Amino acid sequence: MVIVLSLALGTTAVAQDVYRDLQPGSFLVFPAFDITADFITQLRITNTDPATSVQIQLNFVCPGSKQDPFCDALDRHLTLTPSGTAVLDVEDQHPPCPRGYVVAFAENVTHQAISFNALIGSYHITRTNRRYFDEAEQAIAIQSVKPFHEVLGTSGTLQFGADPDPATQDYAALGTHLFTGFQAVDDRHELYGSELILLTLSTIVGSTNPASLVVIDFWNENEVAFSASWEFVCWTQVRVDDIDLNFLESNLGTTYGSMTLMPVPNCPIPGGCPPLIPFEPGVLGAIRGLGLSSKSARNLYHDELPRSAIYIAR
């Protein structure tokens, strides 16, 4: 399965659209949920179509690790009436892990994914005993390239972008580079700084997955350059100074900075490429600010260079 995923990933010269921000789609990504002690997560999903009901499949996806690369998961189904909204408490869904990410996509009554570019959503993570830990962010909506209500995933997978075959493309491509500003971690006051959330849609849900490798180039306010990398399996949430100590304000030299992230080829088994094909994932993410007054999240920006991904649902 690793080789199947690897073949489907990477940039392509075929003309195609990258998903459009802040427009309804057929596939929603909620970059994080958190139901650890004192936290609750609420998902909101809306059908903007005023005339057509739609069924939704949700996958709650857990992180793996290099030691145990199994990404556990749970699937749920619900129906949205025309212009209807569903509000879900993640803890009530009983996912198999306390933190991870969620996807929600339109499906038909036989649980096949369909094109239905009318879905929007948001996620809201709250710490029950401290108001300043509230956060809310829009879900990432990815549009289908197929006609309305057409069945997707006829190849047995859900394909973002034109690789490996434009004829089997289901959804718009992802971007290749991700961008964000960040606040450096104040090592005198640990509540100030940033956490990075990354996930890959190049995933076999509820199965073993290869590790994703992301190169992170970052700069302080004076354009002094630094570089680091981070490896994860399916999903990660990490304080930036755990990635590299130059994210500490005392080392960065300024309070704020900017970063560019790019997934790079990573051999599924060290030393095994060739004959194995390097894994080149499609990655999305968000960044969370840590502070006494807020713990806000915002999705990462992306470029228009298309990156393909293969998602295999439960």
Side-chain angles (χ1 to χ4, degrees):
M1 295 303 289
V2 168
I3 295 177
V4 172
L5 278 173
S6 299
L7 286 172
L9 303 172
T11 58
T12 176
V14 177
Q16 57 174 297
D17 289 332
V18 172
Y19 74 91
R20 300 181 299 278
D21 293 306
L22 298 179
Q23 293 192 31
S26 296
F27 192 104
L28 301 180
V29 181
F30 303 86
F33 69 84
D34 189 340
I35 55 171
T36 55
D38 299 326
F39 283 88
I40 60 173
T41 300
Q42 185 184 86
L43 307 181
R44 304 167 191 174
I45 306 172
T46 296
N47 172 16
T48 65
D49 190 304
T52 310
S53 296
V54 63
Q55 186 161 304
I56 304 295
Q57 181 177 152
L58 297 104
N59 294 164
F60 297 82
V61 185
C62 299
S65 67
K66 292 194 71 175
Q67 294 73 33
D68 181 8
F70 183 80
C71 297
D72 206 354
L74 170 78
D75 61 287
R76 290 284 187 258
H77 305 269
L78 61 86
T79 299
L80 293 174
T81 55
S83 302
T85 295
V87 180
L88 296 91
D89 187 319
V90 171
E91 189 169 16
D92 291 343
Q93 308 305 311
H94 306 293
C97 55
R99 297 198 306 174
Y101 73 95
V102 185
V103 304
F105 56 88
E107 64 175 7
N108 60 21
V109 293
T110 59
H111 303 313
Q112 296 173 295
I114 60 171
S115 174
F116 193 89
N117 289 334
L119 301 179
I120 61 173
S122 64
Y123 62 103
H124 187 201
I125 299 176
T126 305
R127 186 164 183 172
T128 55
N129 63 342
R130 293 184 182 179
R131 199 171 187 179
Y132 55 76
F133 273 86
D134 287 2
E135 67 176 32
E137 179 55 271
Q138 300 297 320
I140 299 169
I142 302 175
Q143 297 76 34
S144 174
V145 298
K146 299 295 189 181
F148 183 70
H149 259 230
E150 184 168 319
V151 172
L152 310 177
T154 54
S155 61
T157 63
L158 296 178
Q159 181 178 318
F160 299 80
D163 289 338
D165 183 356
T168 56
Q169 180 178 353
D170 298 306
Y171 301 99
L174 310 181
T176 295
H177 298 86
L178 302 173
F179 311 95
T180 187
F182 67 90
Q183 181 178 5
V185 175
D186 185 338
D187 46 343
R188 298 164 300 173
H189 305 285
E190 292 190 359
L191 284 176
Y192 292 93
S194 302
E195 282 184 320
L196 193 60
I197 298 167
L198 297 173
L199 64 97
T200 176
L201 287 186
S202 306
T203 299
I204 308 171
V205 177
S207 185
T208 298
N209 286 269
S212 299
L213 179 61
V214 176
V215 169
I216 305 170
D217 295 322
F218 60 105
W219 298 262
N220 69 11
E221 296 175 52
N222 301 319
E223 302 178 20
V224 176
F226 303 86
S227 187
S229 64
W230 190 251
E231 199 170 20
F232 67 96
V233 178
C234 294
W235 181 88
T236 186
Q237 180 174 317
V238 57
R239 223 173 69 170
V240 291
D241 59 315
D242 287 334
I243 297 174
D244 191 282
L245 289 176
N246 286 314
F247 280 108
L248 289 170
E249 184 175 335
S250 55
N251 294 333
L252 187 70
T254 60
T255 302
Y256 298 97
S258 63
M259 71 172 80
T260 298
L261 304 92
M262 180 179 177
V264 295
N266 195 28
C267 190
I269 300 175
C273 298
L276 295 179
I277 299 173
F279 179 55
E280 296 188 60
V283 172
L284 299 170
I287 193 163
R288 298 172 74 176
L290 304 179
L292 290 176
S293 60
S294 69
K295 193 173 182 178
S296 61
R298 60 186 185 277
N299 296 331
L300 303 183
Y301 292 93
H302 63 84
D303 63 9
E304 293 297 315
L305 182 63
R307 166 81 62 153
S308 293
I310 290 292
Y311 182 85
I312 302 178
R314 285 177 58 88

